[in-house]
Amino acid sequence: MTREEFIEELEEKGHSYEIEGDKIVVTRKGNVYLESLKTLPPDVEFRNSGDVSLPLKTLPPGVHFSNGWNVYLDKIETLSPEVKFKNGGSVFLKSLKTLPSDVVFKNEGDVYLESLTSIPSGVEFNNGGVVDLRSLETLPSGVEFKNVGNVNLSSLETLPAGVEFKNKGNVDLESLKTLPSGVVFKNVRGVDLRSLKTLPSGVEFKNGGDVNLSSLTSIPHSLEFRNDGNVYLDS
């Protein structure tokens, strides 16, 4: 879609917009639902006060979401570089298969990436709610969780060395089979490691809630639990 065609689409819907250099800025006071849209030109910013819903399968470079509430991109399978989510609500990317390393998540709500099986190194989650990566099979080094809510990594079986969880909610690692030395849990709430059977030395629990290690068969002598909640060692 050309810039001119997109502007024509906005005008047909009665959506206000501004031109800032090479960028088209959607400024409507309310929701923007463009359900018939097939493609989007580069360098579009959504600054409307409500939701944005786009039925697209791909996003071009330079698209920014600064709208006041949720972003619904349920059919998106690939994101181009330089896409930024700074919207006031949640981001729904339920069909996304790959994630570029420079994507920015600074939205104020949740991020739903439940179809994603891998992510690149260097991705940061700074959003204000949950990060849902329930299908993720591998996690590279250099990924940072600084989000305000929970982190769902319930399918993950291994973690890279040196990963730190600094989110302000729970960390769900219920399928994890092995844990490398040097992992630090500094999240504000609980850590679920219910499938883990052994713990290496050098792991630090400094989280603010419970630690579930209900399948653990042995504990290193040097291990200290510094979390603020309970430690469950049922076995």
Side-chain angles (χ1 to χ4, degrees):
M1 172 177 276
T2 65
R3 288 166 52 85
E4 291 74 21
E5 289 171 335
F6 181 61
I7 288 171
E8 185 177 333
E9 177 81 13
L10 292 174
E11 290 177 347
E12 285 181 2
K13 295 282 188 181
H15 295 342
S16 57
Y17 66 91
E18 297 174 359
I19 304 296
E20 296 182 1
D22 293 331
K23 185 162 58 176
I24 301 171
V25 181
V26 182
T27 57
R28 170 180 165 80
K29 292 182 179 179
N31 300 325
V32 173
Y33 297 136
L34 298 171
E35 300 302 331
S36 62
L37 209 65
K38 297 291 188 283
T39 60
L40 193 69
D43 300 317
V44 172
E45 181 172 352
F46 292 93
R47 287 187 201 160
N48 58 296
S49 61
D51 296 337
V52 174
S53 180
L54 304 173
L56 307 177
K57 290 190 174 181
T58 61
L59 273 185
V63 177
H64 293 185
F65 294 94
S66 304
N67 56 299
W69 201 231
N70 298 328
V71 175
Y72 296 95
L73 298 169
D74 289 341
K75 295 182 180 179
I76 289 282
E77 296 179 357
T78 58
L79 289 177
S80 297
E82 300 176 10
V83 174
K84 296 182 180 180
F85 296 98
K86 297 182 178 180
N87 55 299
S90 297
V91 176
F92 296 86
L93 292 162
K94 295 183 177 182
S95 300
L96 196 70
K97 299 293 190 295
T98 60
L99 194 67
S101 59
D102 59 356
V103 67
V104 174
F105 291 105
K106 291 186 178 178
N107 58 299
E108 294 182 19
D110 303 333
V111 175
Y112 293 97
L113 297 161
E114 54 255 60
S115 295
L116 212 61
T117 56
S118 64
I119 57 176
S121 180
V123 175
E124 285 190 27
F125 294 96
N126 293 297
N127 58 298
V130 170
V131 174
D132 190 344
L133 291 162
R134 68 182 68 179
S135 299
L136 203 71
E137 296 173 354
T138 59
L139 186 70
S141 58
V143 175
E144 294 191 47
F145 294 99
K146 299 178 180 177
N147 57 300
V148 172
N150 302 335
V151 175
N152 185 350
L153 296 165
S154 56
S155 296
L156 206 65
E157 295 189 359
T158 61
L159 275 181
V163 66
E164 290 192 19
F165 293 95
K166 298 179 180 178
N167 59 300
K168 294 184 179 178
N170 299 314
V171 177
D172 185 349
L173 292 162
E174 65 182 51
S175 298
L176 206 71
K177 299 291 192 295
T178 60
L179 194 65
S181 179
V183 173
V184 180
F185 293 98
K186 295 181 180 178
N187 56 300
V188 172
R189 296 183 68 186
V191 177
D192 189 346
L193 295 162
R194 68 180 68 183
S195 298
L196 203 66
K197 293 185 176 180
T198 60
L199 268 179
S201 59
V203 175
E204 295 188 55
F205 293 100
K206 298 180 178 180
N207 56 299
D210 299 337
V211 176
N212 185 349
L213 293 164
S214 54
S215 297
L216 206 66
T217 57
S218 62
I219 301 175
H221 293 298
S222 60
L223 180 65
E224 290 185 40
F225 291 99
R226 299 179 182 175
N227 59 303
D228 290 336
N230 300 312
V231 177
Y232 296 100
L233 300 165
D234 292 350
S235 60

